């Protein structure tokens, strides 16, 4: 009874913290955004309506006119790459906790579908729901692993986006000065690659580096979460103590677990972030003011594309990380051959529907919260504002 009460209180505390984060971000969305001020001035006190009108007329009459992108530093000055990375890390960690809580049931259903194997037959979506809710806790089984998932995602996602933002902020100017337009000091020097190609390369490389670093911190939480979702343990405490008692700390890093995590996550990160950055540059940032709906749509489309293209790796990852019988010996190729033998190529698409149902809205929600928290923290994009004369 005491253990149940403690678990209930922990779950309530987690949901309360996430709810507060969501309310904070939503309140930021409805606050009026602060426009760029002439001469790098910063408002210290709330302005009256008359003062706001006077400020607007002053900005309108200033020359040259500046087009402000949705995300720019609000207090003047330019953040360093390190500070930019830290702010993105904090923003992404809070956004991850919010989105994980919203869509935990679809992640649980996906795990049950992918783990299921019976004479090549796949487990349907509704059948998976039925299997889950028939367990001991009923409906709440759909939220199995939420605590470890939400708490585990904050440091791993924060580390991932922090490293990604730092690398992007560093790689873009480095590649442009070495191989792009910035190397053209005289008329005889020509760029080796266009700036758009170098930006694409920088984003892909930054995503790969960020996910490589984050994968090592993500694996233990993924292993515990998926064992809970598969019904192998009744609680997080039971899962952790049982794993340590039976196999030691090595059980949190199963053979092949880190490698398959990277095989899935690195391509997923590259596809998703390339798509998202492209949509931001060519659609989201075309708006004169921040648009949460555009952030949501861009994140959803990018996440959906990345999820579908990497579903085969996700199936293999799930099976390796929940393989308690040693069927695959930690081998990615052995697991892939066994999966193919069960159902051919279609076996690698198992769980794709609930995964898309989870990833599309999850990425939409994540990037909405991510961009809102970035605005609260005054994070600057690598793409700077441009004047009309430059256009």
């Amino acid at each position: 009874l005491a253990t149940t009460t403690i678990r209930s209180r922990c779950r309530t505390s987690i949901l309360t913290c996430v709810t507060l984060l969501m309310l904070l971000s939503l309140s930021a969305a409805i606050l009026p955004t602060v426009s760029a001020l002439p001469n790098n001035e910063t408002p210290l006190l709330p302005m009256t309506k008359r003062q706001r009108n006077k400020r607007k007329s002053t900005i309108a009459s200033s020359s040259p006119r500046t087009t402000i992108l949705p995300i720019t530093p609000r207090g003047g000055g330019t953040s360093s790459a390190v500070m930019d990375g830290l702010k993105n890390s904090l923003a992404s960690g809070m956004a991850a906790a919010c989105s994980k809580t919203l869509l935990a049931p679809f992640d649980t259903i996906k795990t049950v579908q992918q783990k299921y194997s019976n004479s090549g037959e796949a487990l349907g979506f509704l059948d998976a729901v039925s299997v889950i809710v028939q367990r001991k806790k009923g409906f709440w089984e759909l939220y199995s692993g939420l605590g470890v998932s939400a708490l585990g995602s904050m440091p791993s996602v924060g580390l991932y986006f922090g490293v990604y933002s730092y690398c992007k902020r560093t790689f873009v100017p480095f590649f442009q000065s070495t191989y792009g337009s910035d190397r053209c000091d005289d008329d005889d020097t020509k760029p080796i690659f266009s700036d758009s190609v170098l930006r694409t390369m920088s984003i892909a490389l930054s995503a790969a580096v960020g996910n490589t670093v984050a994968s090592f911190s993500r694996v233990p939480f993924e292993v515990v979460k998926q064992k809970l979702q598969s019904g192998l343990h009744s609680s997080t405490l039971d899962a952790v103590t049982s794993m340590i008692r039976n196999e030691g700390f090595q059980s949190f890093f199963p053979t092949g677990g880190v490698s398959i995590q990277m095989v899935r996550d690195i391509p997923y990160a590259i596809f998703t972030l390339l798509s998202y950055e492209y949509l931001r540059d060519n659609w989201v940032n075309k708006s004169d003011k921040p648009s949460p709906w555009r952030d949501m749509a861009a994140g959803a489309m990018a996440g959906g594309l990345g999820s579908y293209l990497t579903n085969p790796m996700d199936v293999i990852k799930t099976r390796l990380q929940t393989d308690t019988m040693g069927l695959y010996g930690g081998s990615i190729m052995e697991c892939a051959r066994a999966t193919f033998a069960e159902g051919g190529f279609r076996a690698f698409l198992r769980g794709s529907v609930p995964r898309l149902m989870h990833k599309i809205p999850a990425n939409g929600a994540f990037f909405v919260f991510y961009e809102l928290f970035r605005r609260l923290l005054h994070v600057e994009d690598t793409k700077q504002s441009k004047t009309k004369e430059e256009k």
Side-chain angles (χ1 to χ4, degrees):
L1 181 60
T3 305
T4 304
T5 303
I6 293 173
R7 275 197 239 113
S8 177
R9 289 180 178 176
C10 290
R11 188 185 298 113
T12 303
S13 300
I14 293 170
L15 292 174
T16 301
C17 292
V18 172
T19 303
L20 289 175
L21 289 174
M22 294 167 63
L23 289 175
L24 175 63
S25 61
L26 289 175
S27 66
I30 62 176
L31 290 175
T33 56
V34 182
S35 300
L37 303 177
N39 301 323
N40 291 328
E41 295 178 14
T42 303
L44 299 178
L45 296 173
M47 294 185 290
T48 63
K49 183 176 181 180
R50 183 178 179 181
Q51 289 173 324
R52 285 196 298 269
N53 292 335
K54 183 179 179 180
R55 178 64 65 190
K56 289 180 182 178
S57 63
T58 302
I59 295 172
S61 61
S62 62
S63 180
R65 184 180 176 183
T66 303
T67 300
I68 303 300
L69 294 177
I71 303 172
T72 54
R74 308 277 168 78
T78 303
S79 300
S80 66
V82 174
M83 184 58 66
D84 185 68
L86 291 174
K87 288 181 177 180
N88 275 285
S89 178
L90 179 59
S92 60
M94 293 187 293
C98 294
S99 61
K100 286 285 186 182
T101 303
L102 286 175
L103 297 155
F106 295 108
D107 192 37
T108 303
I109 295 169
K110 178 217 70 171
T111 299
V112 171
Q113 280 190 312
Q114 291 180 344
K115 185 178 183 296
Y116 178 82
S117 60
N118 184 18
S119 303
E121 296 181 3
L123 187 66
F125 181 83
L126 294 179
D127 293 332
V129 174
S130 177
V131 168
I132 295 169
V133 298
Q134 287 178 7
R135 295 176 185 167
K136 184 178 179 181
K137 298 178 184 177
F139 172 80
W140 293 107
E141 290 287 349
L142 290 168
Y143 290 89
S144 296
L146 172 60
V148 68
S149 177
L151 294 177
S153 67
M154 293 182 71
S156 63
V157 174
L159 181 62
Y160 163 39
F161 271 84
V163 174
Y164 165 73
S165 300
Y166 173 82
C167 290
K168 186 178 71 169
R169 186 77 177 260
T170 305
F171 290 161
V172 171
F174 171 76
F175 285 137
Q176 288 182 352
S177 62
T178 307
Y179 306 106
S181 59
D182 292 346
R183 73 190 293 266
C184 303
D185 296 330
D186 51 66
D187 296 336
D188 296 332
T189 306
K190 295 182 180 181
I192 301 176
F193 300 102
S194 66
D195 286 349
S196 60
V197 171
L198 292 174
R199 177 174 168 79
T200 300
M201 292 171 55
S202 300
I203 292 171
L205 182 59
S206 300
V209 173
N211 237 304
T212 300
V213 174
S215 291
F216 289 95
S217 65
R218 190 179 296 135
V219 169
F221 296 101
E222 281 286 313
V223 172
V224 175
K225 181 197 73 173
Q226 291 180 345
K227 286 183 179 294
L228 287 169
Q229 292 175 339
S230 301
L232 299 177
H233 302 280
S234 59
S235 67
T236 303
L237 181 62
D238 176 53
V240 172
T241 54
S242 177
M243 291 169 66
I244 294 175
R245 182 174 59 253
N246 295 332
E247 303 176 54
F249 286 99
Q250 185 180 356
S251 60
F252 294 97
F253 295 91
T255 306
V258 176
S259 57
I260 187 56
Q261 187 84 30
M262 295 172 66
V263 167
R264 184 202 69 170
D265 286 353
I266 291 176
Y268 171 78
I270 293 174
F271 290 137
T272 300
L273 289 174
L274 279 177
S275 303
Y276 182 70
E277 296 283 3
Y278 177 83
L279 290 170
R280 281 196 62 79
D281 290 344
N282 295 277
W283 180 51
V284 178
N285 284 346
K286 298 297 183 182
S287 177
D288 293 332
K289 58 183 179 179
S291 174
W293 298 111
R294 291 194 178 205
D295 292 335
M296 179 182 294
M301 287 187 285
L305 177 63
S307 298
Y308 189 77
L309 292 176
T310 57
N311 198 80
M313 285 81 86
D314 190 58
V315 172
I316 297 173
K317 179 192 76 72
T318 299
R319 292 192 167 204
L320 282 176
Q321 292 184 343
T322 58
D323 181 22
T324 58
M325 304 298 293
L327 298 176
Y328 312 116
S331 170
I332 295 175
M333 294 304 299
E334 180 62 30
C335 183
R337 281 194 290 268
T339 303
F340 181 79
E342 288 179 14
F345 289 108
R346 294 184 62 182
F348 292 99
L349 295 178
R350 288 177 179 173
S352 59
V353 172
R355 187 168 188 241
L356 288 173
M357 291 176 67
H358 170 256
K359 286 292 186 180
I360 290 177
N363 277 274
F366 170 80
F367 280 107
V368 166
F369 290 121
Y370 176 56
E371 297 297 345
L372 287 173
F373 284 126
R374 291 179 81 222
R375 293 184 187 109
L376 283 174
L377 296 171
H378 303 172
V379 181
E380 180 184 9
D381 271 342
T382 55
K383 188 176 181 179
Q384 304 294 329
S385 304
K386 295 182 179 180
T387 62
K388 278 190 171 183
E389 287 77 10
E390 289 174 332
K391 293 180 179 180

